[in-house]
Amino acid sequence: MTRDAAAEQATADTPVTASDADGGRSKSSDGPTLDEIRSWPATVSVPKAATALGVSKTHLHALIRRGEAPVKLVPLGGRHRVITASLVRLLEGA
């Protein structure tokens, strides 16, 4: 086996990790970890919850307007707060 063929074989046998699949970025650079989210206050803003879910705040606001938010909310006038425990339950099930 040539050296190039051996290198290709070694590469083919190496499992792909999550950090390889996402370009080497760690989970912490993409958003908060589940442990970090658990330490958040009882409610958080929609933009902060969107970051944890990996979606834009615009998308989460659109889901809320349509009544399709995947998390429980506290309506406050024209604004909403996301219940952190609901966010944690959703992410634990993912």
Side-chain angles (χ1 to χ4, degrees), residues 5 9 12-14 18 28 38 41 43-44 48 55-56 62-64 79:
Q9 182 63 38
D13 292 339
T14 304
S28 62
R38 285 185 182 111
T43 65
V44 295
K48 191 167 187 173
V55 300
S56 71
L63 290 173
I64 291 168
R79 297 180 180 209

Side-chain angles (χ1 to χ4, degrees), residues 6 12 16-18 27 32-33 36 38 46-47 70 79-80 84 87-88:
V16 176
T17 64
K27 175 62 181 146
T33 64
E36 290 169 337
R38 285 185 182 111
V46 170
R79 297 180 180 209
H80 292 90
T84 304
L87 183 60
V88 168

Side-chain angles (χ1 to χ4, degrees), residues 43 72-76 79-83:
T43 65
K72 290 188 179 183
L73 305 162
V74 175
L76 298 171
R79 297 180 180 209
H80 292 90
R81 299 285 292 178
V82 176
I83 297 174

Side-chain angles (χ1 to χ4, degrees), residues 39-54:
S39 70
W40 287 357
T43 65
V44 295
S45 67
V46 170
K48 191 167 187 173
T51 300
L53 292 170

